[in-house]
Amino acid sequence: MKRLLTTACLLVTVVVCALAQSGAVRGKIVDAQSKDALEFVTVSVTKAGSTELLKGTVTDLDGNFNIQGLANGSYTLSVTFVGYKEVKKDFAISAQARNANLRTIAIREDSKMLSEVQVTGQRAQMKFEIDKKVFDVDQNIASTGGSASDVLTNIPSVEVDSEGEVSLRGSSSVTVWINGKASGLSADNRGEILEQLPAETIQKIEVITNPSAKFSPEGSAGIINIILKEDRKPGYYGSVQAGGDNQGGYNASGNINYSSGKLDAYANLGYRHREHEGGNESRREDPNGFLDQKGENLGENNNFFGRAGLTWHVTRADHFSANFMGMFGDGDRNNDIHYIQSLGLGPAPDQYSRFTTSGNDMRMMNFDVGYKHDFGEDHNIDFTLSHYQWNMDGHSEYRTVRDEQTASYQYQENENRSKEWEAQLDYVNKLSENHKIEAGYKGTFERENSPVRTYGDEAHAEMQQSLYNRFIYDQDIHALYATYSGRLGKLGYQVGVRGEYWKVNSESRSFDQEFNGQTPTFFEKDYFSLFPSLFFSYELPGGNELQLNYTRRLQRPWGGQLNSFRNITDSTNISYGNPELQPQYSNAYELNYIKNWENHTLSLSGYYRTTDDVIQRIRYREGNVMYSTDRNVTQSQSAGLEIVAKNKLTRAIDLTTTVNLFYYKLDGFRFMMAGQEVTGESDEDFSWNARMIANVILPYSFSLQVTGNYNARQVVAQGYRKANYSLDAGLRKSFWNKKLSLSINARDILDSRRWKTVTQTGDTRMVSENWRGGRRIGLTLTYSFGNLAPAKRKPAQRDNMRQDADPTMMDSFGGEGGMD
């Protein structure tokens, strides 16, 4: 007991001393001529008489900066911004004056530099926070006129494959959010939504590789959060945009924003027509012969997209908000597959074709209402209620032709009805300068109903009862979380725990169960689990910082994975779900190192993850048909090193380079399936990928962006995926005092976005290749308008992502953005 009391006293003494010695400097940066606040200005602190960087940050949207954690002493603050003269200010921190307020600092344009090169300033493309990396994509030229999928393909460590599947650090076990919420996105529908979500509506992408307890634990590889534009500047402003591409696609959109002391509002409306093509080739071999198939896909989508929202500041402490996002449209696709099948030394190879024509009508709607009350600065309670709905009605016609005659015919109709309610309550209280608590509740209630009907005649009068299916899926999740953040001198920490209880009910009804009174088979499961998190951050001398964290994660099976219905799109390759699937759990560890120089930043992230009950797609064969489904097969281990370097080579050239080196081990498995043994050998693999984004500011208001990407060979269940690479580029020119801009972008310049996979099941080997999109060159014209008033300090406003990063944890320069 004496030892315990002594230790407690020492800890209290350390805390008191640390709190007593911490100082801060703050201020606001404005343009000397216009008096407008300047955002994303670099502010750095050095010891007086030294050039070695100690701390730094960039200004926020109102031009404010706040750098904390300064010991007693004399310092020099430097303000630098492209196109402006550097400004230096001296200040001191002492026991009598812990906080230095430099108030308003005016900086002037560098007329000499501007006369040599007309510079178009660009925001920093990436910054680091304690639990995430933030990528500003507002000026991503290569994705102009594209979709959210196009934007994600240019984000380091993120990949989008030929089916629209999103993966992070080589793992598809990832959660995708819009504005900090699931917004109804799941593995069932997110490919469709991301393909239709316009790129020009996106402000930034947050990649959270090891989320803390205040975030949902869903997605063992992490969370990708898409933040949509919602600027809040005084006055009104907006833009209109139109564009097209060489594949026959075109789009048009407009947006307007209004902001005042009492009301902030925005609206966005757009239309896009997109044409796409793709294809696949595969060869399956076994001792009895082979099956070759070659397919091509042609399709188009027409889509309307709209957003609107407002925030009403009733008082300085009370804020009401309402937001709406909607999308509706239709799509058509033709898929032709040609087969050549040989049964060894028997008759001549059999040749036939399968033609699929499909179409769908899609409607998506999401709205939320919220109320926030500020008890004081950094002390508030925030409530949000949101509703999401996704409807898609589709039909597919399958025709098999042999010797120019129809050998078989099927027509399939499907309906997807998904809806979700979400209620969230968050409480934040900053107890002192370095200590904060957060707690909250989140309830999510999902419902899905998806009937499928199949007919065997062209009149669509004879329903094939054996192929009827109605899938019903309900899931309720209740979560409570609490986190505590603090700082002991240079050591920052955050501890948290999240408890989740969830209940899943699913059933896959046959024709007799639906219409003839046969009792359906129900699958009911409920779970409770705790998800702890632990974060540490330590500041080292010379602009160095170490971060260490641990979290527990999970991946729940999504609806389609639980549906036992068999998909007959390709009669030789049939897939179906598994209602017995269990969640897979992961323990994730990360060690991060960040080093900052004046024009360079280096981040090293070492990570290690163990996963139990890994969900993998497995294949087995019955006769000439290959079946595939999902199973909890085994355990896996992942380890890797992520290297991110930001280099500002000159005033006009900067590079962002990401290299991922990762090791993956999948344990072997052996089980019985449909009366036969299915095996997978233990496999391990070292792989890597690299991505470089180059931004160049050219004379006469030209901007150039080039992105290169390479993915090395990677292990998958029962095989591996071959290496692939890609190259994108974009060029932008501004006119008429930057009110008008023209962008030209080229995606997949080398026509190399192809996915080649080799799998081995017993004595059956399959080699397949898939691709989509191909080379696409687009042209986009944007006109901006507005009547902005000078920036004024506004009441505290709600963040796009309500679960903020811990303010005691430093950004890439080791400081805090924002004004106290």
Side-chain angles (χ1 to χ4, degrees):
M1 179 62 72
K2 289 183 178 179
R3 290 183 180 178
L4 182 60
L5 291 174
T6 303
T7 302
C9 291
L10 288 173
L11 285 174
V12 171
T13 303
V14 170
V15 171
V16 172
C17 291
L19 293 175
Q21 293 177 0
S22 179
V25 59
R26 64 181 182 177
K28 181 174 184 176
I29 310 300
V30 301
D31 183 283
Q33 184 174 356
S34 67
K35 306 302 181 185
D36 289 342
L38 297 175
E39 55 184 314
F40 297 101
V41 177
T42 300
V43 183
S44 56
V45 173
T46 61
K47 278 283 191 180
S50 172
T51 59
E52 185 177 358
L53 177 67
L54 291 179
K55 290 180 177 294
T57 188
V58 292
T59 56
D60 64 13
L61 297 178
D62 294 320
N64 298 316
F65 68 88
N66 182 14
I67 300 175
Q68 300 184 2
L70 298 174
N72 294 344
S74 298
Y75 299 93
T76 298
L77 181 136
S78 299
V79 180
T80 57
F81 194 46
V82 174
Y84 286 79
K85 294 181 179 179
E86 182 179 10
V87 172
K88 294 181 179 289
K89 296 282 186 179
D90 294 328
F91 68 95
I93 300 295
S94 65
Q96 294 73 33
R98 294 292 181 200
N99 296 295
N101 189 347
L102 301 184
R103 302 188 183 281
T104 301
I105 301 174
I107 60 176
R108 298 183 179 277
E109 288 186 348
D110 190 337
S111 58
K112 179 180 179 181
M113 186 272 289
L114 289 175
S115 65
E116 296 172 355
V117 180
Q118 296 182 32
V119 176
T120 302
Q122 289 189 341
R123 297 174 181 173
Q125 249 199 345
M126 178 176 65
K127 67 176 182 178
F128 301 91
E129 296 183 5
I130 183 63
D131 56 357
K132 60 189 171 186
K133 295 181 179 69
V134 183
F135 300 88
D136 192 308
V137 299
D138 186 28
Q139 299 188 35
N140 191 323
I141 308 170
S143 300
T144 302
S147 65
S149 294
D150 298 327
V151 174
L152 289 174
T153 60
N154 286 314
I155 299 299
S157 303
V158 178
E159 183 181 356
V160 183
D161 68 12
S162 62
E163 303 300 323
E165 179 66 38
V166 180
S167 60
L168 176 62
R169 288 179 173 174
S171 172
S172 60
S173 178
V174 60
T175 296
V176 180
W177 284 346
I178 297 177
N179 286 347
K181 296 186 286 291
S183 300
L185 268 67
S186 69
D188 285 312
N189 60 30
R190 70 186 180 198
E192 290 276 350
I193 295 176
L194 295 177
E195 181 64 26
Q196 298 303 316
L197 184 64
E200 62 267 17
T201 64
I202 302 175
Q203 178 66 43
K204 59 186 177 181
I205 304 289
E206 297 178 337
V207 177
I208 312 170
T209 53
N210 213 15
S212 67
K214 56 190 171 184
F215 297 95
S216 167
E218 186 78 25
S220 56
I223 298 169
I224 299 172
N225 186 32
I226 300 172
I227 301 295
L228 303 181
K229 293 178 181 177
E230 192 179 339
D231 291 338
R232 300 275 173 87
K233 299 176 182 178
Y236 76 90
Y237 64 100
S239 66
V240 290
Q241 185 178 80
D245 62 54
N246 66 313
Q247 294 188 7
Y250 51 87
N251 63 87
S253 64
N255 70 85
I256 189 167
N257 298 263
Y258 170 79
S259 183
S260 66
K262 280 289 184 181
L263 186 68
D264 299 313
Y266 67 91
N268 171 236
L269 183 64
Y271 169 80
R272 64 187 283 111
H273 170 84
R274 190 173 180 91
E275 298 192 9
H276 44 83
E277 59 183 27
N280 60 81
E281 293 181 355
S282 70
R283 182 178 181 88
R284 194 174 76 202
E285 296 178 325
D286 62 34
N288 298 319
F290 68 86
L291 173 64
D292 288 344
Q293 68 179 64
K294 184 175 182 178
E296 59 179 355
N297 302 309
L298 296 174
E300 65 177 31
N301 292 91
N302 299 281
N303 179 262
F304 286 93
F305 174 85
R307 294 178 62 234
L310 61 87
T311 300
W312 177 29
H313 307 291
V314 184
T315 68
R316 291 184 63 87
D318 299 285
H319 317 279
F320 287 95
S321 65
N323 299 277
F324 170 84
M325 179 173 67
M327 188 186 303
F328 69 91
D330 57 62
D332 297 293
R333 176 169 295 184
N334 295 319
N335 180 26
D336 300 341
I337 306 177
H338 305 284
Y339 301 89
I340 301 177
Q341 182 174 337
S342 173
L343 299 177
L345 301 177
D350 183 21
Q351 300 188 39
Y352 58 98
S353 299
R354 186 173 177 83
F355 302 98
T356 302
T357 302
S358 59
N360 65 73
D361 295 313
M362 181 263 290
R363 298 174 299 283
M364 186 269 279
M365 181 270 293
N366 185 82
F367 74 84
D368 65 75
V369 292
Y371 168 71
K372 180 182 179 183
H373 177 75
D374 297 316
F375 299 101
E377 196 167 9
D378 297 312
H379 184 194
N380 60 71
I381 191 168
D382 196 351
F383 174 75
T384 300
L385 178 66
S386 60
H387 176 66
Y388 167 86
Q389 191 166 312
W390 160 269
N391 296 335
M392 188 167 73
D393 298 329
H395 65 270
S396 298
E397 183 180 70
Y398 308 106
R399 189 186 302 271
T400 301
V401 175
R402 180 179 278 107
D403 298 326
E404 299 184 355
Q405 299 291 325
T406 298
S408 67
Y409 175 88
Q410 289 175 325
Y411 182 85
Q412 194 173 85
E413 295 177 335
N414 59 78
E415 301 173 10
N416 188 308
R417 298 289 184 270
S418 298
K419 59 184 178 180
E420 175 183 303
W421 284 93
E422 186 176 285
Q424 184 163 342
L425 181 68
D426 292 302
Y427 173 76
V428 178
N429 188 0
K430 191 172 182 180
L431 304 173
S432 66
E433 192 65 29
N434 292 322
H435 296 271
K436 184 175 74 172
I437 59 172
E438 295 179 81
Y441 164 81
K442 184 177 181 180
T444 305
F445 311 94
E446 303 174 53
R447 301 293 182 266
E448 180 180 337
N449 192 333
S450 305
V452 177
R453 295 174 292 274
T454 304
Y455 301 89
D457 64 313
E458 297 194 31
H460 307 160
E462 300 177 8
M463 184 185 299
Q464 295 184 324
Q465 297 184 12
S466 62
L467 294 177
Y468 176 84
N469 177 254
R470 181 184 176 200
F471 181 63
I472 300 173
Y473 172 76
D474 298 336
Q475 178 172 258
D476 296 342
I477 305 174
H478 300 273
L480 290 170
Y481 79 87
T483 67
Y484 179 83
S485 306
R487 178 166 289 276
L488 297 172
K490 295 183 178 182
L491 176 67
Y493 61 89
Q494 182 195 89
V495 296
V497 65
R498 185 184 188 94
E500 288 203 353
Y501 167 79
W502 69 99
K503 183 177 181 179
V504 178
N505 295 324
S506 68
E507 54 180 301
S508 186
R509 296 187 181 182
S510 67
F511 183 89
D512 288 335
Q513 291 170 339
E514 182 73 11
F515 299 106
N516 294 331
Q518 190 177 101
T519 303
T521 302
F522 297 91
F523 292 89
E524 298 183 354
K525 306 170 187 175
D526 59 353
Y527 307 85
F528 175 78
S529 194
L530 294 175
F531 301 92
S533 68
L534 188 60
F535 288 76
F536 292 103
S537 172
Y538 189 79
E539 296 178 47
L540 299 170
N544 294 270
E545 185 175 356
L546 281 175
Q547 300 170 349
L548 176 66
N549 54 66
Y550 159 78
T551 64
R552 185 172 187 246
R553 311 286 300 159
L554 92 159
Q555 179 70 41
R556 299 181 182 93
W558 49 271
Q561 289 180 311
L562 300 174
N563 186 2
S564 59
F565 174 67
R566 303 197 169 196
N567 187 332
I568 62 169
T569 303
D570 181 351
S571 58
T572 64
N573 293 284
I574 295 177
S575 62
Y576 61 97
N578 176 10
E580 300 288 353
L581 278 178
Q582 298 293 319
Q584 64 177 38
Y585 294 89
S586 299
N587 292 294
Y589 308 82
E590 281 197 16
L591 176 62
N592 303 315
Y593 167 76
I594 298 175
K595 167 65 177 176
N596 294 285
W597 295 270
E598 185 173 354
N599 293 313
H600 307 281
T601 299
L602 175 65
S603 168
L604 304 177
S605 298
Y607 55 91
Y608 175 70
R609 183 172 63 243
T610 61
T611 304
D612 296 320
D613 292 325
V614 175
I615 299 174
Q616 284 278 351
R617 199 74 174 167
I618 60 100
R619 292 182 173 90
Y620 65 95
R621 183 174 172 180
E622 290 184 1
N624 293 323
V625 180
M626 182 69 75
Y627 291 88
S628 62
T629 188
D630 291 289
R631 283 285 298 257
N632 297 99
V633 292
T634 185
Q635 291 77 42
S636 70
Q637 300 178 59
S638 303
L641 176 65
E642 183 181 64
I643 306 170
V644 181
K646 289 175 56 65
N647 304 100
K648 190 168 186 61
L649 304 181
T650 68
R651 286 180 179 269
I653 303 175
D654 69 78
L655 300 177
T656 301
T657 306
T658 304
V659 178
N660 257 305
L661 311 171
F662 51 90
Y663 166 81
Y664 179 73
K665 181 180 180 182
L666 184 70
D667 293 346
F669 55 87
R670 184 184 303 270
F671 53 84
M672 299 301 295
M673 196 81 177
Q676 60 180 289
E677 187 177 61
V678 177
T679 63
E681 298 297 327
S682 177
D683 204 351
E684 56 186 333
D685 186 40
F686 172 80
S687 187
W688 62 279
N689 59 53
R691 178 170 295 160
M692 176 177 286
I693 303 174
N695 289 287
V696 183
I697 300 174
L698 301 172
Y700 306 108
S701 298
F702 277 99
S703 301
L704 173 68
Q705 184 181 82
V706 180
T707 302
N709 184 70
Y710 178 82
N711 295 293
R713 179 185 183 275
Q714 185 176 348
V715 165
V716 297
Q718 298 175 294
Y720 62 90
R721 187 178 64 192
K722 294 185 177 181
N724 63 71
Y725 57 91
S726 63
L727 181 68
D728 301 331
L731 182 68
R732 175 185 291 158
K733 163 67 176 173
S734 297
F735 305 89
W736 199 12
N737 197 26
K738 301 182 183 178
K739 290 185 177 181
L740 188 67
S741 68
L742 178 66
S743 298
I744 301 174
N745 61 80
R747 291 188 50 75
D748 200 8
I749 296 173
L750 305 177
D751 195 16
S752 57
R753 276 195 171 96
R754 294 168 179 259
W755 292 263
K756 301 178 182 179
T757 305
V758 178
T759 59
Q760 185 82 34
T761 306
D763 56 5
T764 301
R765 174 183 170 87
M766 184 170 179
V767 180
S768 61
E769 179 178 1
N770 296 272
W771 62 91
R772 70 168 184 171
R775 186 181 296 109
R776 188 186 297 268
I777 300 175
L779 188 71
T780 303
L781 187 66
T782 303
Y783 171 71
S784 301
F785 60 88
N787 181 26
L788 294 178
K792 298 179 181 178
R793 181 176 177 85
K794 301 183 288 293
Q797 296 189 13
R798 134 187 211 164
D799 198 313
N800 276 326
M801 189 166 184
R802 298 168 61 240
Q803 302 122 314
D804 302 312
D806 180 2
T808 68
M809 308 307 183
M810 303 298 107
D811 63 13
S812 63
F813 291 92
E816 256 189 339
M819 195 75 170
D820 284 343

